[in-house]
């Protein structure tokens, strides 16, 4: 579970809060790319994206990747140099998990992360489109039976639910043969989990709650109605322990939910640190980004709104309620975001807008 993973690590990991501006080259955004919902893609566009994702999984590991968090804090397996470039993307999310969740980096870092992934698809695998997003509010009413899971086409389909007798491996679609290195070698897994919070835990105030009710259209509209300029409140609601972001991870189970594969080592620590194993992660976080984008564009006061600390403060409900998006030292727009050597670091201010700084895209 996500919270098990987070609460099992040290809460004293710092990310850079220095007032150092990014040296990443800026560009003028005159023709922003348009990110579309997956179902708005035609079959050729779907095939192109799936082909590019699989392409990354066949490229070699980049030796520039250097983990920056002590393994006693991150509680992740060692870097697997025999893994793929796709695995490298997964690993930086694993390594930085305590720095990019429940801190002020959550929204800007994941916005940047989807962007650099999109750029890798383009530069390394010839992808010419924009990142798709997955509007899971459409599927929320009947998540398991949604038509979203019915496309088994090996070229353009996302495939369906995993097979229980085969460790919940996805049996069809374009990612049936996607081989993954973390936390141990396996193929993509999905395990529908409707009530992931039904365990004793102080932050689960509604243990019987069904996960799909957290990311319904009405819940997202409530989120978008967060008072103007209240970035702290917006992130707290979005990243809440039983909020929309985590609910999508956990209802999917398997790789997106961070369930250990059957062949995982005995010390495998569950929790969606390796959730980018699931290609739907990129569409899920593009949707997370879209919701933030929609809130930013709902009121001028939201556009430049930012607040957050660099240290997780989830020792207790009291500390969490005081610092839901991180405690001091606090971050600023000049604070750089960690990249573990895989990409040039950028500042939070470089990604606060999707049409300035280092970004150039909008959402359909």
């Amino acid at each position: 579970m996500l919270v098990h993973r987070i609460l099992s690590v040290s809460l004293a990991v710092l990310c850079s809060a220095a007032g150092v501006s990014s040296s990443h080259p800026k560009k003028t955004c005159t023709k922003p790319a348009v990110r579309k919902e997956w179902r708005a893609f035609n079959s050729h566009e779907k095939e192109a994206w799936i082909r590019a994702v699989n392409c990354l999984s066949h490229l070699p590991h980049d030796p520039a990747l250097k983990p920056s968090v002590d393994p006693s804090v991150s509680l992740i397996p060692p870097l697997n140099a025999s893994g793929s470039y796709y695995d490298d993307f997964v690993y930086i999310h694993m390594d930085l998990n305590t720095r990019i969740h429940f801190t002020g980096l959550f929204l800007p870092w994941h916005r940047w992360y989807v962007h650099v992934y999109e750029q890798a698809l383009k530069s390394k695998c010839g992808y010419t489109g924009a990142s798709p997003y997955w509007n899971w509010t459409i599927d929320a009413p009947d998540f398991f039976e949604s038509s979203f899971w019915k496309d088994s086409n090996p070229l353009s389909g996302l495939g369906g639910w995993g097979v229980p007798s085969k460790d919940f491996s996805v049996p069809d679609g374009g990612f049936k043969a996607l081989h993954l290195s973390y936390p141990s070698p396996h193929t993509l897994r999905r395990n529908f989990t409707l009530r992931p919070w039904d365990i004793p835990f102080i932050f689960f105030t509604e243990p019987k709650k069904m996960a799909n009710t957290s990311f319904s259209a009405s819940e997202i509209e409530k989120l978008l109605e967060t008072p103007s300029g209240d970035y702290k409140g917006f992130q707290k609601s979005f990243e809440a322990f039983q909020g929309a972001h985590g609910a999508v991870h956990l209802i999917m189970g398997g790789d997106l939910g961070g369930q250990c594969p059957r062949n995982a080592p005995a010390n495998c620590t569950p929790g969606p640190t390796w959730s980018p194993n699931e290609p739907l992660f990129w569409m899920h976080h593009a949707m997370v980004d879209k919701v933030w984008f929609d809130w930013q564009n709902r009121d001028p006061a939201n556009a430049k709104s930012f607040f957050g600390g660099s240290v997780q403060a989830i020792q207790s409900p009291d500390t969490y309620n005081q610092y839901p998006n991180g405690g001091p030292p606090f971050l600023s727009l000049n604070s750089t975001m960690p990249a573990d050597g895989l990409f040039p670091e950028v500042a939070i201010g470089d990604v606060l807008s999707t049409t300035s700084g280092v970004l150039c895209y909008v959402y359909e």
Side-chain angles (χ1 to χ4, degrees):
M1 302 294 294
L2 173 61
V3 293
H4 288 165
R5 179 65 189 80
I6 292 172
L7 294 178
S8 65
V9 301
S10 166
L11 300 173
V13 179
L14 302 182
C15 60
S16 172
V20 178
S21 297
S22 168
S23 60
H24 197 283
K26 309 299 189 298
K27 58 185 178 181
T28 301
C29 180
T30 56
K31 294 183 179 180
V34 179
R35 290 184 176 178
K36 300 186 296 184
E37 209 275 337
W38 177 252
R39 280 160 281 213
F41 274 31
N42 61 40
S43 59
H44 296 295
E45 291 171 321
K46 291 178 178 179
E47 183 177 341
W49 186 78
I50 289 174
R51 182 171 58 247
V53 173
N54 282 315
C55 164
L56 287 187
S57 75
H58 289 93
L59 298 179
H61 158 69
D62 186 343
L65 173 57
K66 304 295 182 185
S68 60
V69 178
D70 191 303
S72 68
V73 174
S74 62
L75 297 182
I76 61 174
L79 183 66
N80 183 352
S82 66
S84 70
Y85 188 62
Y86 187 95
D87 292 322
D88 288 346
F89 271 94
V90 176
Y91 201 80
I92 65 172
H93 189 270
M94 294 167 62
D95 180 56
L96 298 171
N97 75 87
T98 58
R99 302 173 70 177
I100 58 175
H101 301 109
F102 297 100
T103 73
L105 288 181
F106 173 66
L107 289 170
W109 190 91
H110 284 86
R111 171 174 281 182
W112 166 85
Y113 188 44
V114 174
H115 165 73
V116 292
Y117 179 78
E118 178 187 77
Q119 297 308 302
L121 295 178
K122 293 173 179 286
S123 65
K124 294 182 178 292
C125 293
Y127 184 61
T128 58
S131 290
Y133 69 92
W134 169 27
N135 186 351
W136 17 253
T137 67
I138 298 171
D139 311 292
D142 192 1
F143 195 77
F144 183 78
E145 294 294 342
S146 170
S147 60
F148 192 76
W149 311 110
K150 307 299 184 183
D151 192 348
S152 60
N153 188 296
L155 298 179
S156 59
L158 297 173
W161 292 105
V163 179
S165 63
K166 296 182 178 179
D167 197 24
F168 297 98
S169 293
V170 173
D172 51 20
F175 301 117
K176 176 182 178 181
L178 181 63
H179 289 272
L180 305 158
S181 293
Y182 302 109
S184 55
H186 67 284
T187 55
L188 181 63
R189 302 159 59 252
R190 294 174 186 155
N191 179 10
F192 178 68
T193 308
L194 185 60
R195 289 185 172 88
W197 303 302
D198 195 8
I199 58 174
F201 184 61
I202 195 169
F203 286 102
F204 294 165
T205 57
E206 298 179 82
K208 300 295 182 182
K209 184 178 182 179
M210 294 184 290
N212 60 319
T213 63
S214 289
F215 54 89
S216 65
S218 60
E219 287 300 307
I220 298 306
E221 181 54 35
K222 290 179 186 177
L223 183 62
L224 292 173
E225 291 172 355
T226 301
S228 297
D230 185 9
Y231 182 93
K232 179 179 177 180
F234 178 79
Q235 181 182 330
K236 180 180 181 181
S237 296
F238 208 173
E239 202 189 6
F241 284 93
Q242 292 185 262
H245 161 254
V248 175
H249 278 274
L250 297 180
I251 198 172
M252 287 281 293
D255 282 294
L256 195 67
Q259 296 173 347
C260 292
R262 186 175 295 163
N263 66 351
N267 64 350
C268 178
T269 304
T273 59
W274 60 82
S275 53
N277 276 343
E278 166 65 80
L280 285 174
F281 172 96
W282 306 102
M283 290 198 281
H284 167 42
H285 268 279
M287 177 61 177
V288 170
D289 185 55
K290 180 185 183 298
V291 176
W292 181 25
F293 170 91
D294 289 343
W295 183 73
Q296 287 182 305
N297 285 280
R298 181 165 285 207
D299 188 299
N302 299 342
K304 298 292 185 181
S305 179
F306 174 79
F307 177 82
S310 59
V311 182
Q312 290 179 341
I314 51 178
Q315 301 95 326
S316 70
D318 286 342
T319 58
Y320 169 70
N321 286 327
Q322 184 177 6
Y323 301 116
N325 59 342
F330 290 105
L331 301 163
S332 75
L333 296 186
N334 287 328
S335 300
T336 55
M337 300 192 293
D340 277 0
L342 203 58
F343 304 100
E345 293 184 349
V346 301
I348 292 171
D350 291 332
V351 300
L352 201 61
S353 167
T354 68
T355 54
S356 66
V358 299
L359 305 177
C360 190
Y361 66 87
V362 294
Y363 286 96
E364 186 177 71

